[in-house]
């Protein structure tokens, strides 16, 4: 699975972002090709000014550090790793 982070938006000091699974496929047919891509949200991340939390799309709590390993740049998008609650 490849995760990418949609840009974190700031609103009154809090931040919200979505980590999405991205799949890109390309196929060749004769001398042509076609491709398709999908982008599926897998986690919502929230920073309330003191702690960074994450939940899946069913509302279950996720481990932010583990998610950060699967999504390069996730922790940097929120500043530093000292934001973990």
């Amino acid at each position: 699975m490849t995760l990418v982070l949609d840009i974190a938006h700031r609103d009154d000091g809090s931040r919200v972002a979505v980590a999405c699974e991205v799949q890109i496929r390309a196929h060749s047919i004769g001398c042509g090709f076609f491709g398709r891509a999908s982008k599926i949200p897998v986690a919502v991340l929230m920073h309330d000014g003191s702690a960074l939390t994450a939940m899946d799309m069913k509302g279950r709590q996720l481990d932010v550090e583990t998610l950060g390993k699967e999504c390069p740049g996730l922790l940097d998008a929120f500043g530093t790793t000292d934001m973990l609650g």
Side-chain angles (χ1 to χ4, degrees):
M1 170 171 36
T2 300
L3 291 180
V4 296
L5 185 67
D6 279 350
I7 298 172
H9 298 281
R10 298 174 190 217
D11 183 30
D12 298 331
S14 63
R15 299 183 196 179
V16 177
V18 178
C20 298
E21 179 181 359
V22 175
Q23 296 180 349
I24 301 171
R25 293 191 170 92
H27 304 279
S28 62
I29 299 176
C31 49
F33 73 94
F34 72 96
R36 69 176 186 200
S38 65
K39 184 176 182 181
I40 303 164
V42 296
V44 176
L45 296 107
M46 296 159 286
H47 186 268
D48 63 3
S50 62
L52 179 59
T53 58
M55 68 177 78
D56 67 13
M57 302 314 289
K58 293 185 178 183
R60 296 176 293 216
Q61 193 76 22
L62 298 173
D63 181 64
V64 175
E65 289 185 69
T66 301
L67 197 56
K69 292 175 185 173
E70 294 178 19
C71 184
L74 183 146
L75 297 177
D76 290 338
F78 284 94
T80 63
T81 56
D82 63 352
M83 290 184 176
L84 300 175

